[in-house]
Amino acid sequence: MKKKVLLNGVGRIGKIILRLLNKNDTFEIVSINEINPYIKNIVYSINHDSTYGNIEDKFKVLKDNYIENNSSKIKILNHSCLKEIDLKDIDIIIDASGKKEDRNILQNLDVEAIFLTHPNTNADINLILGVNEKKLDIKKHKVISTSSCNATALLPALNLLKKEKGIFCGDIVTIHPLLNHQRVLDGSFVGSATRDVECNFEFGRSSTQNIIPNKTTTIEACSYICPEINAELISSSSLRVPTDTVGAINVTLFTEELCSKEEVISIFEEYEKNQTFPIMLNNYEPLVSSDFKKENKTTIIDHRYTDVKNNRMIKLLLWYDNEWGYASKVVEILKYYQDIKKG
């Protein structure tokens, strides 16, 4: 029997998770909780997407706040807090709302597990495939964070190089597509409760006309999973750019052990050949960001720019689809969780 899923939030990530699970043999989304009160608008935004295109099997609105297509019939809810929802027929919650819910509320929900699509220190575990999935204990870990798109892309590479060569120090710059909380044209400052942003002047500037520098929580999110990879070891910053999806990370690392460019490439090639999950992809083609749109692998090493200086300094360029790729990893984590549960 399929696991019954409540999807909390159908924003950018929630919509893709819905698409990915629409014809899944293991999981069935039976309810969506969304703060948008207009069900016709919810269906419209699910069916039509400027970034990934329209879905073929479109949903339509039924009576009693249900929506339906040829694969699914889903109840639409409109609650501000998960504790308000009747969960008697729900096995799993995927919280793609971005809201930082109270830990006690989450722990007391009568479901098997809650998956949070953001880094969260109050989760029972923050999990990135290829790094710490073996630490998942389904008897102890009920609230599971699937981390962030940036950390999901970066940490498998950092963790691998740390094991193979050691990291003395480093720096990363994320080149990130624009997001919904930014302005299209210049306006007042931006605040975002779900992103812990109280007052950001730069995000009040036009996201379509500027490269906007900003701080990033990428390394902080990595530290929730690998405490030794933290802001004391690696500095970080971010540039928001006027593209719709696919991010890049410029990585500079100084290693504890000597290494060569050929050796670094070999480490990544060997990992890709033997990986358990679809995580790493080694690229040598002359590609640009849009070529990686809808790519489900999330640590894409562009070896045209891999380099080593003085046998100590590694330069890397990573690509990742920050929406589709990340949502794919959320679904992979769900599958991994269920495989453990089956034994």
Side-chain angles (χ1 to χ4, degrees), residues 234-292:
I234 298 174
S235 58
S236 61
S237 58
S238 179
L239 298 172
R240 290 283 175 85
V241 296
T243 55
D244 57 354
T245 193
V246 180
I249 308 178
N250 186 46
V251 182
T252 305
L253 299 174
F254 291 87
T255 59
E256 293 173 348
E257 297 180 18
L258 298 177
C259 60
S260 66
K261 175 180 174 179
E262 294 72 25
E263 192 177 3
V264 169
I265 292 174
S266 176
I267 287 169
F268 287 122
E269 287 180 336
E270 191 66 22
Y271 184 93
E272 182 186 354
K273 266 192 279 184
N274 298 302
Q275 63 188 339
T276 305
F277 305 99
I279 297 166
M280 193 167 291
L281 177 66
N282 292 289
N283 177 68
Y284 300 89
E285 297 183 71
L287 302 181
V288 296
S289 62
S290 61
D291 295 318
F292 300 108

Side-chain angles (χ1 to χ4, degrees), residues 26-293:
T26 307
F27 302 96
E28 178 186 9
I29 296 176
V30 296
S31 297
I32 290 173
N33 184 54
E34 171 57 49
I35 58 172
N36 182 352
Y38 300 106
I39 190 168
K40 288 183 179 179
N41 185 243
I42 293 171
V43 167
Y44 175 83
S45 67
I46 290 171
N47 288 339
H48 305 283
D49 190 274
S50 300
T51 303
Y52 297 105
N54 302 338
I55 59 174
E56 293 182 11
D57 186 11
K58 290 184 173 58
F59 283 89
K60 60 184 178 181
V61 179
L62 304 179
K63 63 180 181 179
D64 299 325
N65 283 345
Y66 278 91
I67 67 173
E68 183 182 52
N69 68 359
N70 293 322
S71 305
S72 306
K73 184 177 180 180
I74 301 171
K75 177 76 170 179
I76 301 297
L77 308 172
N78 187 225
H79 296 281
S80 59
C81 183
L82 288 170
K83 69 179 180 181
E84 299 170 359
I85 300 173
D86 182 356
L87 299 170
K88 66 180 179 182
D89 296 320
I90 302 297
D91 300 308
I92 288 169
I93 295 172
I94 303 173
D95 186 357
S97 68
K99 180 182 177 183
K100 302 291 178 69
E101 192 63 88
D102 182 86
R103 174 187 171 86
N104 291 329
I105 289 175
L106 295 176
Q107 290 287 357
N108 290 322
L109 294 175
D110 189 18
V111 292
E112 293 177 14
I114 303 109
F115 294 86
L116 311 176
T117 65
H118 60 266
N120 194 313
T121 51
N122 291 323
D124 296 323
I125 187 172
N126 283 251
L127 196 151
I128 291 179
L129 294 177
V131 181
N132 70 327
E133 71 276 357
K134 291 181 180 178
K135 293 182 179 180
L136 179 62
D137 184 340
I138 62 172
K139 293 179 182 177
K140 295 193 304 183
H141 299 148
K142 178 178 179 178
V143 181
I144 301 163
S145 163
T146 57
S147 195
S148 71
C149 59
N150 297 331
T152 296
L154 177 64
L155 191 53
L158 292 186
N159 189 53
L160 181 59
L161 289 174
K162 186 178 185 304
K163 286 179 179 177
E164 295 290 334
K165 290 295 168 185
I167 297 174
F168 179 73
C169 64
D171 177 76
I172 64 128
V173 180
T174 66
I175 299 93
H176 201 290
L178 55 84
L179 294 175
N180 269 335
H181 64 273
Q182 294 179 249
R183 304 282 188 201
V184 177
L185 296 173
D186 282 3
S188 59
F189 72 89
V190 168
S192 175
T194 60
R195 294 180 174 274
D196 294 327
V197 176
E198 183 178 346
C199 179
N200 188 299
F201 285 13
E202 300 101 302
F203 284 175
R205 302 296 299 278
S206 169
S207 59
T208 61
Q209 296 173 275
N210 294 292
I211 296 172
I212 300 176
N214 191 41
K215 296 176 181 177
T216 176
T217 58
T218 302
I219 296 300
E220 182 182 352
C222 290
S223 73
Y224 298 165
I225 294 160
C226 295
E228 65 275 17
I229 295 178
N230 54 50
E232 297 299 314
L233 185 74
I234 298 174
S235 58
S236 61
S237 58
S238 179
L239 298 172
R240 290 283 175 85
V241 296
T243 55
D244 57 354
T245 193
V246 180
I249 308 178
N250 186 46
V251 182
T252 305
L253 299 174
F254 291 87
T255 59
E256 293 173 348
E257 297 180 18
L258 298 177
C259 60
S260 66
K261 175 180 174 179
E262 294 72 25
E263 192 177 3
V264 169
I265 292 174
S266 176
I267 287 169
F268 287 122
E269 287 180 336
E270 191 66 22
Y271 184 93
E272 182 186 354
K273 266 192 279 184
N274 298 302
Q275 63 188 339
T276 305
F277 305 99
I279 297 166
M280 193 167 291
L281 177 66
N282 292 289
N283 177 68
Y284 300 89
E285 297 183 71
L287 302 181
V288 296
S289 62
S290 61
D291 295 318
F292 300 108
K293 190 177 288 189

Side-chain angles (χ1 to χ4, degrees), residues 1-6 17-31 71-72 74 90-94 112-113 115 328-342:
M1 187 191 302
K2 290 185 179 181
K3 288 292 180 181
K4 307 295 185 185
V5 176
L6 165 68
I17 291 171
L18 176 60
R19 290 190 181 204
L20 292 171
L21 289 181
N22 192 37
K23 296 181 180 180
N24 191 273
D25 294 330
T26 307
F27 302 96
E28 178 186 9
I29 296 176
V30 296
S31 297
S71 305
S72 306
I74 301 171
I90 302 297
D91 300 308
I92 288 169
I93 295 172
I94 303 173
E112 293 177 14
F115 294 86
S328 299
K329 288 297 152 286
V330 175
V331 171
E332 290 285 343
I333 289 171
L334 254 70
K335 292 176 184 175
Y336 180 71
Y337 172 91
Q338 190 56 28
D339 287 344
I340 294 175
K341 204 162 183 66
K342 287 180 181 176

